[in-house]
Amino acid sequence: MKNRLIYPLIGILFLSLSAFAFHKFYMGVFQVNYASEKKMIQITSRIFVDDLNKGLEKKYHKKTFIGTEKETPEDVELLKKYLAENFTIKVNGQSKAITFLSKEVESDDVLVCYSRIKDIEKFKTLEILNSILVDWNAEQQNITHISAFGTKKSVLFTESSRKEVLKY
């Protein structure tokens, strides 16, 4: 009788403990807002610091310390270069320069970057390329929320889906 009770309890305990095991996920969250009154696209990027440093090291063959006390001005320049190469926006088919404004570390492990594109009139299409960290890790996913003209859309960018054209 005791065995009938103990084995199911051990099984339940094992399953419940294994459900709380740490599983690393690779996700970036991006917010793209069109502020019509300012004629500006505002971009906020949230990326895990450790993944970003590993991705930069793989791409540029240089160890970086973005978001840490060891961060150098050269690290920040590599970050800006990387973001410019891997996150682009075309408005009505025209590439637009994204200006990096600032960055901060949130919760000790997430880098938040702020950028913008100025002088944007009303548009009909917005093409976004988001390949942040997908070359470093095939499991990387970048969810991008876009708000423009009172509508909200979300797009999931992955290794196999790096570009999306949105119509307004």
Side-chain angles (χ1 to χ4, degrees):
M1 178 74 175
K2 219 177 192 184
N3 286 345
R4 282 186 168 174
L5 187 59
I6 294 222
Y7 288 125
L9 284 175
I10 289 173
I12 291 170
L13 180 65
F14 175 76
L15 288 174
S16 65
L17 289 176
S18 66
F20 294 108
F22 178 75
H23 180 263
K24 178 77 172 155
F25 64 99
Y26 302 96
M27 175 70 70
V29 179
F30 299 80
Q31 180 70 46
V32 177
N33 292 327
Y34 176 59
S36 58
E37 67 284 352
K38 295 179 181 178
K39 297 181 181 177
M40 177 187 309
I41 293 176
Q42 302 163 325
I43 305 157
T44 304
S45 310
R46 285 182 167 75
I47 310 162
F48 284 109
V49 172
D50 58 342
D51 296 341
L52 182 61
N53 282 311
K54 289 174 188 171
L56 290 173
E57 183 176 357
K58 181 179 180 186
K59 172 108 175 155
Y60 300 113
H61 308 290
K62 180 185 183 304
K63 188 155 182 67
T64 59
F65 300 94
I66 297 292
T68 71
E69 295 167 0
K70 295 181 182 179
E71 179 181 279
T72 66
E74 293 80 21
D75 292 345
V76 176
E77 288 306 311
L78 276 182
L79 169 67
K80 291 178 184 178
K81 179 180 177 181
Y82 183 80
L83 292 174
E85 292 172 355
N86 291 280
F87 190 93
T88 63
I89 293 180
K90 289 183 181 179
V91 178
N92 294 329
Q94 301 273 327
S95 291
K96 297 294 179 180
I98 298 175
T99 304
F100 180 90
L101 299 174
S102 66
K103 64 173 183 48
E104 63 182 332
V105 177
E106 181 179 89
S107 306
D108 290 334
D109 62 349
V110 175
L111 185 73
V112 182
C113 299
Y114 303 97
S115 306
R116 72 174 177 211
I117 304 171
K118 290 173 55 175
D119 301 322
I120 302 296
E121 298 290 334
K122 189 168 178 164
F123 52 87
K124 293 186 182 195
T125 63
L126 200 63
E127 180 179 316
I128 300 174
L129 171 113
N130 187 341
S131 59
I132 301 290
L133 297 179
V134 296
D135 290 330
W136 168 72
N137 185 346
E139 293 179 39
Q140 177 72 26
Q141 298 181 338
N142 295 317
I143 183 109
T144 305
H145 304 290
I146 305 102
S147 296
F149 310 113
T151 63
K152 294 180 181 181
K153 300 178 182 183
S154 294
V155 178
L156 181 65
F157 294 96
T158 62
E159 182 184 37
S160 61
S161 175
R162 300 175 182 213
K163 190 184 295 186
E164 184 76 25
V165 177
L166 301 139
K167 297 183 180 189
Y168 293 92

